[in-house]
Amino acid sequence: MAMQAQEIEDLIRAGFPDAKITITDLAGDGNHWAAEVIDESFRGKNRVQQQRAVYASLKGAMDGNAGALHALALTTKVPE
């Protein structure tokens, strides 16, 4: 079952309540998504640490064949 953009945003928002989050359906199929997450909590963390934090907020939605989220291209940034 594919995930909806709002479901992805809600999961990320639970972990990053003040973030600016943009979700984009890359293929129009509900299975291939891009997310941009801009949050102050990323300051001082490297890109891998930032992305691991976001993936952790997805609570298993990307766990292999059992996950509802097939693909997510993730961009993380600190606010300017």
Side-chain angles (χ1 to χ4, degrees), residues 16 35-39 41-56 73-80:
F16 302 91
E36 180 181 67
V37 183
I38 303 171
D39 194 71
S41 71
F42 297 147
R43 194 169 304 280
K45 295 181 180 175
N46 66 41
R47 188 69 41 110
V48 172
Q49 291 169 322
Q50 294 173 18
Q51 291 188 355
R52 282 183 180 160
V54 174
Y55 284 125
L74 182 58
T75 303
T76 55
K77 299 179 182 177
V78 295
E80 293 185 17

Side-chain angles (χ1 to χ4, degrees), residues 6 8 10 12 16 23 25 31-32 36 40-41 44-46 58 67 78-79:
Q6 190 62 52
I8 299 167
D10 290 347
I12 296 171
F16 302 91
I23 307 293
D25 187 345
N31 283 316
H32 298 84
E36 180 181 67
E40 184 61 38
S41 71
K45 295 181 180 175
N46 66 41
L58 295 172
V78 295

Side-chain angles (χ1 to χ4, degrees), residues 6-23:
Q6 190 62 52
E7 293 174 282
I8 299 167
E9 182 174 344
D10 290 347
L11 287 170
I12 296 171
R13 175 93 40 221
F16 302 91
D18 298 322
K20 180 181 183 292
I21 302 169
T22 305
I23 307 293

